[in-house]
Amino acid sequence: MGMGSNERYAELSMRMEVPEEFIRNFVPIPKEYVEEAYRSDEYLVFIGPQHPGSGHMRIILRLKGDYVVDAIPDPGYVHRGVEKLAETRLYIHVLPLIERPTIQDSANFDLGYSRAVEKLADLDVPKRAQYIRVILAELSRIATHLYDTGILAVFIGHSTGYMWAFGLRDVINEAFIRITGARTTLSYTVPGGVRWDVKPEVLNFVYELTNYLERKMKDMESIFVKNPVTIHRLKEVGVLTKEEAIKYGLVGPFLRASGVEYDVRKVEPYEVYNEFDWDIPVADEGDSYSRFLVRVEEIRQSIKIIRQAVKNIPDTPIISEKLLSRIPPKDRPQAAKDIRTFLTKTHVGLTPGAGEATTLTEASRGLLLFTLISDGHSNVPYRLRMVTPSWLLLRGFMEALKGYRLADVPAIYGSFGYFPPEADR
C-alpha cells in the first residue's frame, strides 16, 4: 500500500480452512457458505440449541460486525413424529399426541383435530359443548399469550415481567384443573363434544377469573408492557412490512401486527364464534413491539368472548347424538352429561367412512391446519397432517432478524412467541 494519491489495494490469496467443528458436527449449510463468510470477514455464530435461551432450536447467524447479514434456522431437535405415530393410534388416542407439541395451547389443538374427525365421521356437536370448547380455547389463548410474555420478559432481562406473566397464567391453569382435571395438556375436548359437563360454580369461577385478569392486566401494563425499557428494546426492531408479512407467510397475531386483518374465527367461523361480539386487534408498524401489543389486546378480546359464553351457555347434552345412540337407552341420560364411563362404546370403535377432511383453526400463535384421511374400514387414521403456527412463522422470524444487531436477536425471538416443539411436532 502506497501513500497519498499512490494508494493501492493489495489482496492476499490465503487458503481458508473450514473449522474442525463444522466437519465434526452436523451443520445444515454447505461448506462453501462457511468459506464465503470467512472470506468476507464475517462471523458465523451458533445460537442454541439450549433450553433456557433459544429453546430447542439452533439459529445460525452470519454477522458483519454485530449486524445480522443472514439467519438460517436449524429446527427439529424435539421432533416427536406425531403424524406417523397417529397411524397406529385410535382416533381418540391421537388427542394426547397432538397436544404435546404446543403444551399450553392444547385446547385449540384438541379443537382443530376433533373438528377434523367430526367432519370425517359426520358427527354433530351439541351447543353446550361448543360453548365449553370456546371458553377453553379462549382461556388457552390467554394462557399462551401470558406464557410467551413471560419468555419475552426473560429474553430482554426483565425478571419481574416474567414472574407477573407466569403468575397470571397459573390462575388460568387453576381454571383448567377445575374444568378438566389437568393443568395444561387437557385431552378434554373429544370428537363429538367434551368429556363431561361443567358445573355452574366452575363457570362462576371462570367469570370471576376474567374480572381478576382484567384488573391485573392493568397493573402488568404499567410494570412491563409500557415499561420504557420494554418499549426501547422492541420498538422499530425486527420490522416486517405488510407486503413482507404476506410474502413470508406470517400467521395469527404476527400477521395482524403488520396490518393484515385476518382471523379464521371471523373469516371462516367455527363452533359458535359468530354468536359473540368481539374485535380483531390489528397494528400497522410490523415491529416487535406491535407483535407484543396485538397479543396483549387479544387477551382483552378473549376475556370479552369468555364472559359472553359463560352468560349465554345453553343447557344441552355435551356429546353427539350420533355417539349417544351407541349407548343403551337406560344409560343415555347419564352419558349426555358425562361420557367417561362410556368411551369404549362411543369412541373406541369409531370408524369414519373413507374420505379426507381438513380444518383451519385460529390457534393462539396463528393458523393451525389438520388434514385427516380415513380408509373407511379401520378405527385408526390412514394419514394425519398437522401444520402448526410456529412452523409457518419460521421464515418470517428469520427474515425479521436481518439487518438488526446481535443484541436484538432475543427481543425479536420473544416477539414472535416462537415455540420450537410446536414447529417440530
Side-chain angles (χ1 to χ4, degrees), residues 62-125:
R62 185 167 167 177
L63 302 175
K64 188 76 171 180
D66 69 336
Y67 283 89
V68 178
V69 175
D70 198 7
I72 301 171
D74 182 17
Y77 287 88
V78 279
H79 174 56
R80 290 165 164 83
V82 169
E83 294 167 327
K84 195 65 183 172
L85 286 170
E87 296 174 14
T88 62
R89 304 293 195 277
L90 301 178
Y91 281 94
I92 194 166
H93 285 169
V94 175
L95 281 166
L97 283 178
I98 57 101
E99 289 177 336
R100 263 60 193 176
T102 188
I103 303 175
Q104 189 66 70
D105 199 24
S106 64
N108 279 297
F109 277 59
D110 287 344
L111 182 54
Y113 170 75
S114 294
R115 287 171 50 234
V117 177
E118 287 154 10
K119 273 189 176 182
L120 271 182
D122 192 25
L123 297 177
D124 59 296
V125 181

